[in-house]
């Protein structure tokens, strides 16, 4: 049994953590991207399906390809951030189950028989879980993110996932060391009683 | 700028954290459920949409209602766990945007015009993010979870969300203080190069 993390850690992960649109001029090395993945990969997904596929836009070329596919306000964020991660999802994730969920071969057979829409919902659910692990893992390592949905999914898929059949974009997120003082005031958060029920 | 959390904290959140099916005989008080929510609520969602609606099954009656709606292996987990959380999602989450995203009234108008399927995908994405925040928040507070998709969604919706129009179940998760030594060996996790691309 573990103790609760310190208040400082809970603040860093959740309570004072914020979405950032402006970052310090401090590079984010590929070792840091790998360190984030090495936490994200441990987060649970259904049947260890691990559907997320991540493209880390680090070069000016990649940012220049992604930015025009975003809404105008998001384009500027992509151009200015050290990194923007495209969190994609593989709707054919079940092809990997014999490797990732080897003790239950029936799981792949069951998923083979599902309509693609059902597998796409699973991929959306589980790659979103992994997207949240990415946000929290970045914070745990001292970085900040700016997750965004305002982009043309089909165009991003064509530009970044053309060589990965079955992979579609879920959401994107800028990544870097947030410039303190830049976030807007925090938006409202409801108390427990609003959206929770004890049964 | 924050430093990285300690190795012990990274272990507790990700690296040695596990999905649990067996829990210590130690109650999980309603104050703990509220403490989890008070972290979860701060995790980012698109346009602060906060679509997750959580039913915490604490009573034997609630567990007895949920268990028969699960697969047989999951039913036993629900009956034996101190708590099972049903993570639901409100497909009419956009009705709250004037309150939660007050600076951009156009966002609700835009979402009013979307087909319900588009809003349901947003609700699935964002309630899954919140589901992951729930898993990590529980770990950060020293608890463990057992997330599951093996249940009859329509039956759970009828049993638990009948009085919340527009709310559908996303996934469920047992919650408690995990009994050490019970998890199976960890399933494989791929290296960075497998599912990540630097662009």
């Amino acid at each position: 049994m573990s103790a609760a993390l310190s208040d400082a850690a809970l603040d860093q992960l959740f309570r004072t953590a914020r979405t950032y649109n402006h970052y310090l001029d401090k590079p984010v090395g590929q070792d840091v991207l790998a360190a984030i993945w090495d936490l994200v990969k441990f987060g649970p997904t259904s049947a260890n399906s691990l559907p997320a596929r991540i493209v880390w836009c680090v070069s000016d070329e990649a940012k220049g390809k992604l930015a025009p596919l975003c809404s105008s306000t998001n384009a500027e964020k992509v151009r200015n951030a050290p990194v923007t991660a495209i969190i994609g999802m593989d709707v054919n994730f079940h092809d990997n189950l014999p490797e990732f969920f080897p003790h239950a071969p029936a799981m792949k057979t069951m998923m083979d028989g599902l309509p693609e829409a059902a597998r796409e919902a699973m991929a959306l659910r589980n790659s979103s879980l992994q997207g949240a692990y990415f946000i929290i893992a970045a914070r745990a390592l001292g970085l900040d993110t700016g997750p965004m949905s305002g982009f043309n999914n089909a165009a991003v898929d064509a530009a970044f996932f053309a060589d990965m059949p079955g992979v579609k974009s879920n959401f994107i997120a800028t990544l870097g060391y947030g410039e303190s003082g830049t976030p807007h005031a925090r938006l409202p958060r409801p108390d427990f009683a609003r959206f929770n029920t004890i049964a």
Side-chain angles (χ1 to χ4, degrees), chain A:
Chain A
M1 217 181 93
S2 306
L5 299 187
S6 68
D7 271 321
L10 298 177
D11 286 349
Q12 180 170 334
L13 295 171
F14 289 105
R15 295 189 299 217
T16 59
R18 300 292 304 276
T19 289
Y20 280 80
N21 296 328
H22 299 279
Y23 295 92
L24 300 178
D25 184 18
K26 177 178 159 73
V28 178
Q30 294 191 11
D31 56 323
V32 175
L33 308 185
I36 292 173
W37 174 255
D38 281 338
L39 297 176
V40 171
K41 70 182 182 187
F42 287 121
T45 52
S46 307
N48 201 32
S49 51
L50 294 158
R53 307 291 179 263
I54 308 181
V55 176
W56 307 82
C57 297
V58 172
S59 67
D60 287 341
E61 186 192 345
K63 294 177 199 174
K65 197 161 81 167
L66 177 59
L69 311 178
C70 298
S71 73
S72 55
T73 48
N74 289 347
E76 193 188 340
K77 297 173 192 172
V78 167
R79 284 201 185 87
N80 292 333
V83 179
T84 295
I86 306 172
I87 314 291
M89 59 184 195
D90 186 353
V91 300
N92 297 322
F93 63 87
H94 61 305
D95 289 339
N96 292 313
L97 291 185
E99 177 183 354
F100 294 152
F101 206 62
H103 59 289
M107 190 65 82
K108 177 179 184 311
T109 314
M110 185 275 282
M111 290 196 188
D112 280 333
L114 292 176
E116 180 162 314
R119 282 202 305 269
E120 185 161 335
M122 291 177 185
L124 178 56
R125 173 182 298 112
N126 286 287
S127 68
S128 297
L129 293 177
Q130 291 184 281
Y133 303 144
F134 154 84
I135 292 167
I136 300 292
R139 292 173 174 182
L141 294 175
L143 290 91
D144 301 288
T145 66
M148 299 178 283
S149 286
F151 63 94
N152 181 329
N153 288 67
V156 167
D157 296 352
F160 289 93
F161 295 122
D163 61 341
M164 300 184 215
V167 178
K168 301 179 182 191
S169 50
N170 182 346
F171 69 91
I172 64 175
T174 56
L175 173 71
Y177 298 92
E179 193 175 312
S180 64
T182 57
H184 306 288
R186 192 191 274 287
L187 290 166
R189 293 301 196 279
D191 288 340
F192 184 84
R194 176 79 175 269
F195 291 146
N196 293 269
T197 307
I198 307 274

